[in-house]
Amino acid sequence: MVKIGSHVSFSGKGLLNAAEEAVTYGSSTFMIYTGAPQNTRRKPIEDQFITEGKAVMDKHGMEEIVVHAPYIINLGSYKDDTYELAVNFLQEEIRRTHYLGVKNIVLHPGAYTDKDAEYGIARIAEGLNEVLNGVKDTDVNIALETMAGKGTEIGRSFEELASIMEKVEDNRRLTVCMDTCHIHDAGYDVVHDFDGVLDQFDRVIGLDRLAVVHLNDSKNFRGAGKDRHAPVGAGLIGFDAMKYIAGHDKLRHLPLILETPWISKEKGNERPMYEAEIALLQGKAENRFGSDFLDHVERLEFFFHKQEVDRRDFVVNTWELLKNDAKAKKADGREPMERLYDMVVEARLFEDLSEEDINKRMIAWFAGKAAF
């Protein structure tokens, strides 16, 4: 079975809350931060309802989950205090991950800020050596994440990750997390030649090192280097490519994690599309939501056909407009799903449905009938 899940919250009752939230999305895996990703404040991991959470996981067949390291860790920094914080905090996060029984912690490799890429790669490798030497009593792997190339971040190519790994003494403890949005934004052709991308990864790093996949669509054109995630189908990767990736024979044994944005026209009311995205990627949407849901998607198909709206052309053209026409973006910065939602509301197509429910049906419309 393909293992697809999403990032879920570890707040409140810790692992119990995380597992119960994952169940509501129909997940078969999930990813957590063991505390807020922006700071170092942490509750004792022993108090995070681990036994209760694992009981929920066992009940719903969720065997492998993933931990993500906090964003504030930067092993590439030339500043001693920032670097030392990164080393010490990552070691603590690895110990917490080990306590949970999780085998991979995903890490953004780091940024070189005022130096250069060569310095950043060497500094990150130095930090990883120090980190791993201090946690030899654990069996947790550090999954270096592929990055989009924003700013001075390292990991924007497979070669950069390989360079880091070559400089780490115990690099058997290093794996890779491949983010589909990031590699698309970094310039890899995940839409038309994902097999070629995997072949390149295998030549440079080795597919045996691939441990986690982040399944994210992108708001950017290939090679933009910007790292902006989109709901599945509402971005420039598109549903067909995402479905191909999710079902790929070389990936289906790995945990596939959605980090797609929560959405709403009203700030503060954002909701995730995870439940619909997971069901569609697994080909289980009708089983998950019922025949009425499918009828609604067919009504959307008929409505948008009358409006001469093609799902892929509309998405691509809208992002093209927002990219190239500054005046249009300033006057009307609505993204593809916002524009489509407004059309549906104006036509009073589903007056009894909430914004969240309409958005889920539009995610299914992006997928097309072949997803059911």
Side-chain angles (χ1 to χ4, degrees), residues 110-139:
Y112 56 82
T113 60
D114 296 334
K115 299 292 186 177
D116 57 28
E118 184 179 1
Y119 175 89
I121 289 169
R123 184 69 154 168
I124 292 165
E126 176 188 357
L128 289 170
N129 276 320
E130 193 171 340
V131 168
L132 291 171
N133 282 333
V135 289
K136 289 182 176 179
D137 57 335
T138 73
D139 58 358

Side-chain angles (χ1 to χ4, degrees), residues 4-15:
I4 305 180
S6 66
H7 165 226
V8 295
S9 173
F10 196 68
S11 60
K13 292 186 177 180
L15 190 63

Side-chain angles (χ1 to χ4, degrees), residues 248-372:
H248 202 287
D249 286 344
K250 294 179 179 178
L251 304 181
R252 57 188 301 116
H253 63 290
L254 302 175
L256 310 175
I257 305 295
L258 291 159
E259 299 175 303
T260 51
W262 293 31
I263 57 175
S264 173
K265 286 179 63 64
E266 186 176 344
K267 190 172 182 179
N269 287 337
E270 294 88 355
R271 295 292 302 153
M273 295 293 101
Y274 299 148
E275 183 181 18
E277 291 167 328
I278 290 170
L280 289 160
L281 289 169
Q282 290 182 327
K284 298 179 179 179
E286 187 172 9
N287 290 339
R288 180 76 183 179
F289 296 108
S291 58
D292 286 348
F293 183 89
L294 181 56
D295 289 342
H296 291 162
V297 176
E298 290 178 345
R299 286 178 64 187
L300 282 176
E301 178 71 33
F302 180 75
F303 170 71
F304 286 131
H305 179 73
K306 285 181 63 179
Q307 306 301 315
E308 298 184 341
V309 173
D310 176 85
R311 53 177 60 81
R312 285 311 298 159
D313 286 348
F314 185 86
V315 168
V316 173
N317 292 340
T318 301
W319 289 122
E320 184 75 40
L321 176 69
L322 294 175
K323 173 190 174 188
N324 294 327
D325 193 331
K327 289 184 179 179
K329 184 175 182 179
K330 185 175 181 180
D332 181 6
R334 291 177 302 160
E335 297 180 357
M337 283 196 69
E338 294 176 296
R339 294 169 186 250
L340 293 169
Y341 175 81
D342 287 345
M343 291 172 63
V344 170
V345 171
E346 185 177 350
R348 298 183 177 180
L349 202 59
F350 301 116
E351 293 188 273
D352 295 333
L353 295 181
S354 68
E355 179 187 21
E356 179 183 353
D357 287 336
I358 292 174
N359 281 333
K360 286 180 178 178
R361 284 151 178 80
M362 286 199 298
I363 291 287
W365 175 73
F366 283 131
K369 293 181 180 179
F372 289 83

Side-chain angles (χ1 to χ4, degrees), residues 66-176:
V66 181
V67 170
H68 200 302
Y71 302 139
I72 60 172
I73 291 175
N74 182 13
L75 292 175
S77 178
Y78 67 90
K79 298 179 180 178
D80 289 340
D81 55 346
T82 302
Y83 173 82
E84 290 170 7
L85 169 67
V87 169
N88 294 331
F89 194 23
L90 182 54
Q91 286 177 333
E92 179 58 27
E93 287 293 297
I94 288 173
R95 295 186 187 101
R96 291 166 67 85
T97 302
H98 176 73
Y99 187 88
L100 290 169
V102 175
K103 63 183 181 182
N104 283 289
I105 181 169
V106 175
L107 174 71
H108 292 183
Y112 56 82
T113 60
D114 296 334
K115 299 292 186 177
D116 57 28
E118 184 179 1
Y119 175 89
I121 289 169
R123 184 69 154 168
I124 292 165
E126 176 188 357
L128 289 170
N129 276 320
E130 193 171 340
V131 168
L132 291 171
N133 282 333
V135 289
K136 289 182 176 179
D137 57 335
T138 73
D139 58 358
V140 176
N141 296 323
I142 300 174
L144 301 175
E145 185 166 349
T146 57
M147 305 306 291
K150 182 176 62 177
T152 66
E153 64 189 14
I154 295 292
R156 56 201 161 184
S157 71
F158 301 154
E159 285 78 9
E160 284 191 343
L161 293 182
S163 294
I164 293 171
M165 299 170 93
E166 288 168 3
K167 291 177 170 60
V168 175
E169 296 162 5
D170 189 11
N171 63 23
R172 296 169 301 173
R173 299 275 300 274
L174 298 181
T175 56
V176 174

